[in-house]
Amino acid sequence: MAPTAPITPSRAASFRAVTTHSGIARDRNCRAVCREMRQRPATSIAGALLLSVALVACTHETGGPVNVGVTAPSSSVAGQATSADEGPLGLPAADFVVDPVDEARAEELLTVLTPPPPERVELQNDWIDSRRKAIQDAHREHVGVGVALMRRVDADEHDRIVRRAALELAAHAAPEQVSPYLARLVVEYGEDLGLRETATRVLGDVDPDLALEVLEPLVREDPRGTYPPSETILVGWLTAAAARDVDPSSILALVATDLRRDESTRHRAVRELALAGTPLAREALRAVLLESTGNGYLRRLAAQGVVDAFPEAEACALLEEVALLEADPNMQLFLANLVQANCP
């Protein structure tokens, strides 16, 4: 990995400007800085976070959010707004003015997303079904409906369950307008962690390019602190990678063989390695299978992955070799059963 350029005072000022007001993302100097940083991956947790936040603001290099049938006030500079006229994310409030019909539809959807009172147990199943259908059909909603919902989420007008569902619905209804907001939720501390987890999961669906840029440094560095769960970050990145036909093997191998990662994230990575089926994926599965740690479940996943990803003869030879050297009686039995079921 290429070394990261030093964070000089001038570069730090540029990044602060990027994160202070997203209108600056249209500035050519800001775009140049971001393009340069994309080619200089961060090698530290702080650098990864700094790069992520910078890329969030500079990703849409052709301009800012699309107005929803409204022209920005003539008193504001194009692409900027005074603090009195700011909407979500510090963007011009005019960008978030929508038709009354869309506002009314957003209210209807918020009602659908709101759970019934706890004492009305008989309504729970119907509410779950209605909520699921509303989110599944979100891409059919008008962009203005998504913008209206995002504004409600940003204003913190509803409880956590409603805000998380509304954010997901808004993202699918108005992906271009909402994706910068999702990216900001991923990297910024302060919001409800469940809302940030929803943003991380959904970002890969609605804006794969932005998700790859924002999530990859976090997957590589696995920063400590208040972030969405690392497994969710990995899943969001995998969703984006699949949408852009990016080979996930190197990221999965890194995560699966990193003893410092939490177990659930390593489990996910090992399962995905078996699906990748590349030479690098097979080597990572071999390394995990031979790993001398106490995580027997992880090694069982790796053994099953060997069966799925390796040629039959190679898989059987490896499993038999490991079984001969295995000290754990339970693992010995598991490997013996796996050989018996899959090897001639």
Side-chain angles (χ1 to χ4, degrees), residues 18-334:
V18 167
T19 58
T20 299
H21 199 295
S22 57
I24 297 176
R26 299 176 182 78
D27 183 81
R28 292 181 180 177
N29 292 331
C30 170
R31 296 183 202 168
V33 170
C34 288
R35 280 195 295 270
E36 176 189 353
M37 287 303 294
R38 287 193 187 102
Q39 298 172 2
R40 294 173 172 268
T43 56
S44 66
I45 292 173
L49 179 57
L50 187 60
L51 173 59
S52 299
V53 177
L55 289 174
V56 168
C58 292
T59 294
H60 299 291
E61 296 180 356
T62 57
V66 177
N67 287 349
V68 185
V70 181
T71 303
S74 58
S75 59
S76 64
V77 179
Q80 300 184 11
T82 63
S83 59
D85 294 329
E86 287 183 354
L89 290 178
L91 296 173
D95 288 346
F96 297 91
V97 175
V98 298
D99 188 276
V101 174
D102 290 334
E103 288 281 5
R105 176 57 178 161
E107 284 294 337
E108 291 178 8
L109 289 169
L110 286 170
T111 301
V112 171
L113 300 177
T114 302
E119 62 271 15
R120 300 296 304 275
V121 179
E122 72 279 7
L123 300 178
Q124 286 290 329
N125 288 338
D126 289 342
W127 168 70
I128 291 172
D129 291 340
S130 299
R131 177 179 177 274
R132 183 187 300 114
K133 187 176 188 307
I135 294 174
Q136 287 176 344
D137 295 342
H139 64 282
R140 300 177 182 173
E141 299 288 348
H142 191 269
V143 170
V145 176
V147 172
L149 286 170
M150 179 184 123
R151 193 171 58 193
R152 306 300 177 80
V153 171
D154 187 67
D156 196 10
E157 294 181 357
H158 298 274
D159 67 26
R160 294 178 179 180
I161 293 176
V162 177
R163 290 184 77 211
R164 294 169 192 175
L167 178 65
E168 185 168 359
L169 202 157
H172 285 96
E176 184 175 348
Q177 288 77 13
V178 178
S179 58
Y181 185 72
L182 299 177
R184 177 173 172 177
L185 284 172
V186 172
V187 299
E188 282 193 2
Y189 170 78
E191 257 295 1
D192 167 46
L193 194 55
L195 192 71
R196 296 177 65 197
E197 182 175 358
T198 299
T200 306
R201 175 173 51 82
V202 173
L203 182 59
D205 276 329
V206 301
D207 195 335
D209 295 321
L210 183 56
L212 290 173
E213 294 186 28
V214 173
L215 300 180
E216 185 161 330
L218 300 179
V219 175
R220 288 187 179 278
E221 296 288 341
D222 191 29
R224 303 305 178 192
T226 307
Y227 281 93
S230 58
E231 183 182 1
T232 304
I233 294 174
L234 175 61
V235 170
W237 184 88
L238 287 169
T239 300
R244 290 295 178 262
D245 199 24
V246 173
D247 181 8
S249 300
S250 62
I251 291 291
L252 293 172
L254 173 68
V255 174
T257 58
D258 187 349
L259 299 179
R260 300 169 300 172
R261 307 278 175 147
D262 70 88
E263 292 186 351
S264 63
T265 307
R266 295 187 73 198
H267 295 165
R268 169 72 70 161
V270 168
R271 291 190 188 97
E272 297 291 338
L273 280 170
L275 298 176
T278 63
L280 179 58
R282 290 195 290 270
E283 285 305 309
L285 288 170
R286 184 194 301 270
V288 174
L289 179 58
L290 295 172
E291 186 178 290
S292 58
T293 65
N295 191 337
Y297 180 62
L298 182 72
R299 296 184 62 215
R300 284 167 170 78
L301 289 175
Q304 185 61 60
V306 166
V307 171
D308 295 336
F310 281 56
E312 182 181 283
E314 188 177 349
C316 292
L318 177 58
L319 293 175
E320 290 171 354
E321 176 186 351
V322 174
L324 288 174
L325 301 173
E326 184 59 51
D328 181 356
N330 292 326
M331 189 66 180
Q332 281 182 339
L333 180 60
F334 175 81

